[in-house]
Amino acid sequence: MIKGFIFDLDGVITDTAELHYTAWKKLSDDMDWHFDRDLNEKLRGISRMDSIKVIMDHNDVSLDDEAVVELATKKNDIYVESLDDMTPEDYLPGARELLTHLRSEGFRVALGSASKNANKVLKQLNATHFFDVIGDGNSVSKSKPAPDIFLYASEKLGLSPENCIVFEDAEKGIDAAKAGKFHSVGIGPEERVGHADIRFDTMKEATLFEVKSHFKDLF
Ligand code: G6P
Ligand code: MG
């Protein structure tokens, strides 16, 4: 039976991809590195340090660990500053409605995000109260596609993976959910999240009614 829901943050609750893009682009321009929206897509769901490695590999650049951390920190400072402009108007359409509905029906709800800035994003959205458990980039050391963040969230909820549905917009996020034996809902195009148990183009279509009708034997 489904008793809990675990949500990814970026791309599911709110769309931060554009803010990440702007911050990586600024850093890349400063470094004379190539960076575009296609490359930004490859960073969906993966950690900050994995992201900078993807960008450096793409540019055939290698630097010592200390320099890499310094550059990732510089990008993060730009990103965090841009979050100041985020408001409760910035939920993806349908996300706040679904969270409200799940709470009113008594489901347990957790966050399972790779971001180390999740608390700040939730605060800007005024969304913290929706979550019983907050799992973020500080909670585990192995990031998606490893299942660790979702296992952390379900354990803190006191539920087994088979009692939880994970919502994800990233290919590697669905990989992580499947590796942990969670039920999964993919948000986005077939080529990205077509391997989820069920897929919706956007959060607007992902209502509790639709989710229940797909997983009907589990409710
Ligand atoms: C999310 C985003 C990724 C980002 C990661 C780490 O998963 O989809 O693009 O790299 O979080 O975010 P952070 O806020 O810690 O840099
Ligand atoms: Mg995401």
Side-chain angles (χ1 to χ4, degrees), residues 25-92:
K25 179 72 180 150
K26 171 95 182 50
L27 179 79
S28 300
D29 286 352
D30 287 354
M31 298 301 292
D32 250 332
W33 293 346
H34 174 258
F35 184 73
D36 60 16
R37 286 176 201 279
D38 282 347
L39 194 52
N40 192 53
E41 256 313 298
K42 300 210 165 74
L43 312 182
R44 199 177 272 270
I46 67 170
S47 72
R48 194 183 313 157
M49 290 310 289
D50 287 348
S51 299
I52 194 164
K53 282 171 198 151
V54 168
I55 299 169
M56 287 171 53
D57 281 354
H58 181 83
N59 284 277
D60 272 327
V61 174
S62 81
L63 293 166
D64 62 49
D65 288 355
E66 205 183 320
V68 178
V69 170
E70 200 176 301
L71 291 174
T73 304
K74 202 167 148 193
K75 177 266 172 178
N76 191 54
D77 291 344
I78 301 168
Y79 175 67
V80 171
E81 205 186 320
S82 71
L83 290 177
D84 286 338
D85 295 330
M86 185 181 272
T87 75
E89 302 291 301
D90 292 317
Y91 283 86
L92 277 166

Side-chain angles (χ1 to χ4, degrees), residues 19-216:
L19 302 179
H20 281 292
Y21 168 78
T22 306
W24 284 124
K25 179 72 180 150
K26 171 95 182 50
L27 179 79
S28 300
D29 286 352
D30 287 354
M31 298 301 292
D32 250 332
W33 293 346
H34 174 258
F35 184 73
D36 60 16
R37 286 176 201 279
D38 282 347
L39 194 52
N40 192 53
E41 256 313 298
K42 300 210 165 74
L43 312 182
R44 199 177 272 270
I46 67 170
S47 72
R48 194 183 313 157
M49 290 310 289
D50 287 348
S51 299
I52 194 164
K53 282 171 198 151
V54 168
I55 299 169
M56 287 171 53
D57 281 354
H58 181 83
N59 284 277
D60 272 327
V61 174
S62 81
L63 293 166
D64 62 49
D65 288 355
E66 205 183 320
V68 178
V69 170
E70 200 176 301
L71 291 174
T73 304
K74 202 167 148 193
K75 177 266 172 178
N76 191 54
D77 291 344
I78 301 168
Y79 175 67
V80 171
E81 205 186 320
S82 71
L83 290 177
D84 286 338
D85 295 330
M86 185 181 272
T87 75
E89 302 291 301
D90 292 317
Y91 283 86
L92 277 166
R96 180 170 28 200
E97 292 76 4
L98 178 59
L99 289 166
T100 305
H101 199 175
L102 292 174
R103 298 309 320 215
S104 74
E105 294 233 339
F107 289 103
R108 308 268 288 144
V109 178
L111 191 78
S113 167
S115 175
K116 295 190 171 175
N117 298 302
N119 276 306
K120 167 136 182 157
V121 172
L122 293 180
K123 196 159 162 248
Q124 296 295 123
L125 293 171
N126 192 19
T128 312
H129 64 99
F130 285 124
F131 297 92
D132 298 301
V133 167
I134 292 174
D136 66 10
N138 304 298
S139 310
V140 294
S141 51
K142 271 207 262 166
S143 48
K144 300 167 190 176
D148 299 34
I149 187 62
F150 297 137
L151 292 169
Y152 170 90
S154 63
E155 193 181 313
K156 291 263 170 191
L157 287 176
L159 300 174
S160 309
E162 68 261 27
N163 301 129
C164 301
I165 295 179
V166 167
F167 272 65
E168 255 295 347
D169 70 307
E171 182 178 353
K172 293 207 166 62
I174 296 294
D175 293 342
K178 296 190 107 162
K181 304 213 176 343
F182 292 88
H183 303 284
S184 58
V185 173
I187 304 298
E190 175 74 29
E191 59 271 25
R192 202 167 78 205
V193 291
H195 53 322
D197 294 333
I198 176 175
R199 183 192 71 79
F200 298 99
D201 286 329
T202 71
M203 281 296 280
K204 215 169 171 180
E205 288 91 56
T207 60
L208 184 54
F209 179 81
E210 288 294 332
V211 171
K212 276 186 171 173
S213 21
H214 178 82
F215 295 102
K216 49 182 170 305

